[in-house]
Amino acid sequence: MTNTNFARARSIRVRAPFLAILLAAAVPLAPSSAAAQTSPALIDAMEGADSGSREIRSFYRARAYEPLWIRDDMVGPEAATLLTLIETADLDGLDPDTYRPRTIAKALDRAMSGSPRDLARAEMLLSRAFVTLARDMQRPRDVGMLYNDAELAPQRTTADTLLSQAARAPSLREHLESVGWMNPVYARLRNAAAAEYNGDSPEADMRLVRLNLDRARALPTKMGDRYVLVDVAAARLWMYEKGRVAGTMKVVVGRPDQQTPMMAALIRYASVNPYWNVPPDLVAERVAPNVLQDGVPYLKAKGYQVLSDWSDDATVVPPTQVDWNAVASNAQQLRVRQLPGPSNAMGRVKFMFPNKLGIYLHDTPQKTLLKEDSRMFSAGCVRLEDAPRLARWLFGKPVPMGTGKPERRVDLPDPVPVYITYLTTGVEGGRLVLRDDVYNRDGVQLASR
């Protein structure tokens, strides 16, 4: 092993863990001590080395050409970690050869001589490859994500930011291994996939992993100190605070014919004791036939009111004045709302991130549906297993419900992001899990690639 060089190690496509072993054995590893020093000769060589990028040169100039990948005039083990990432870049839907791994391997071979010029060239090649790979990983693909609030869309990261984050990381190696420049959803999925898949994995499985990584990539790199994540395919919600799960619960999501969309939005307020404005199609399908069968008392029993129109100034209309046959046949559209109460379809509270699709998170009186393994029963909104618990987490205190005036608005002091995604390949207990593609999005999106 001691005679194995970087170029020979990289000339044969090998599984990533073995590549790391080969490369770690091939080069003297710099000590991790904070006392590591950089020689004046290396700094001079760094100043004259070709960075290939004005942004990268600006980063090094700002740190007086202190290297990132070299300590005590020796290449650190992080070079092997970066080459492992490059070797597995096909997981990210990227071509590993784009990042010149053979050129890097040869440069690392030459750097073993300790020549300041060769060390400086290796340093610049590693930084250039890292920046290019990180930016390509971050570049979003079109997977149908809706950005209700523009600030939640993925943003392009500068080379200086990427390199500065890497330099500030407590451990550069851990930063690379955890793909710390990506959002945590992507990082978890990618790391689990890298641990389980290899060159012998079926291509169909690899394509599915890449598609779900694209869905994770559609989330911003910085998701926020506090945020809500809903995975429609898992029918589950998580609350995250400072990178840790603060709570989780089951949810009910949209039926296949009324799908819950992928969306990034800001929860701005809670509506306590809400009305439920029944969608016109449900008025025709459910309400009108029951009125025709059971008469007007059906409306009172269910807490329904008929309103004159959809404006804020709408007035209550006596149900006896409505042509219910016309409503049932869709010849006439009618606004019907359900009053707050135990049977209200919205439950006691709904969490609002105003959007054109009318999607929100809300309580539900139909708790039995949450016991089902497949929880896809809604008309697109997300029904919560424990809405009061989400309210306590969002507001930092209990929110009184069940009494008081209808539609009481309670604003959040600071809006909280909610990310609704759809991961048919997810991670549980650090392992990949496959979920049913109930919306047939996998088939449609894979067919278009």
Side-chain angles (χ1 to χ4, degrees), residues 191-239:
N191 288 338
E196 295 188 30
Y197 284 91
N198 55 58
D200 298 325
S201 298
E203 179 57 24
D205 291 351
M206 296 298 298
R207 292 182 70 211
L208 186 59
V209 168
R210 293 186 197 109
L211 173 60
N212 281 278
L213 282 169
D214 283 348
R215 289 170 180 157
R217 186 186 278 112
L219 303 172
T221 301
K222 296 181 179 179
M223 298 177 68
D225 288 339
R226 303 174 78 237
Y227 61 90
V228 175
L229 177 69
V230 177
D231 184 352
V232 174
R236 182 163 285 275
L237 173 150
W238 292 265
M239 297 161 274

Side-chain angles (χ1 to χ4, degrees), residues 250-277:
K250 297 176 183 178
V251 296
V252 170
V253 295
R255 301 188 301 269
D257 61 332
Q258 292 184 295
Q259 299 179 11
T260 301
M262 293 175 60
M263 179 182 291
L266 291 170
I267 302 174
R268 298 184 180 276
Y269 65 93
S271 180
V272 181
N273 304 326
Y275 292 110
W276 177 42
N277 286 291

Side-chain angles (χ1 to χ4, degrees), residues 326-394:
V327 175
S329 65
N330 274 316
Q332 176 185 342
Q333 281 204 345
L334 188 68
R335 181 181 176 186
V336 174
R337 74 180 179 189
Q338 190 177 36
L339 297 171
S343 62
N344 183 281
M346 297 292 100
R348 293 160 292 178
V349 62
K350 55 185 181 181
F351 302 97
M352 305 299 293
F353 36 102
N355 59 86
K356 294 180 180 180
L357 298 180
I359 300 297
Y360 40 85
L361 314 179
H362 67 86
D363 189 19
T364 176
Q366 295 179 293
K367 300 298 185 183
T368 55
L369 296 180
L370 289 152
K371 297 179 181 179
E372 300 290 334
D373 291 333
S374 179
R375 297 184 292 276
M376 303 194 177
F377 303 103
S378 85
C381 288
V382 178
R383 304 179 192 175
L384 303 167
E385 179 182 24
D386 193 342
R389 178 154 58 97
L390 178 58
R392 285 196 303 273
W393 180 78
L394 285 171

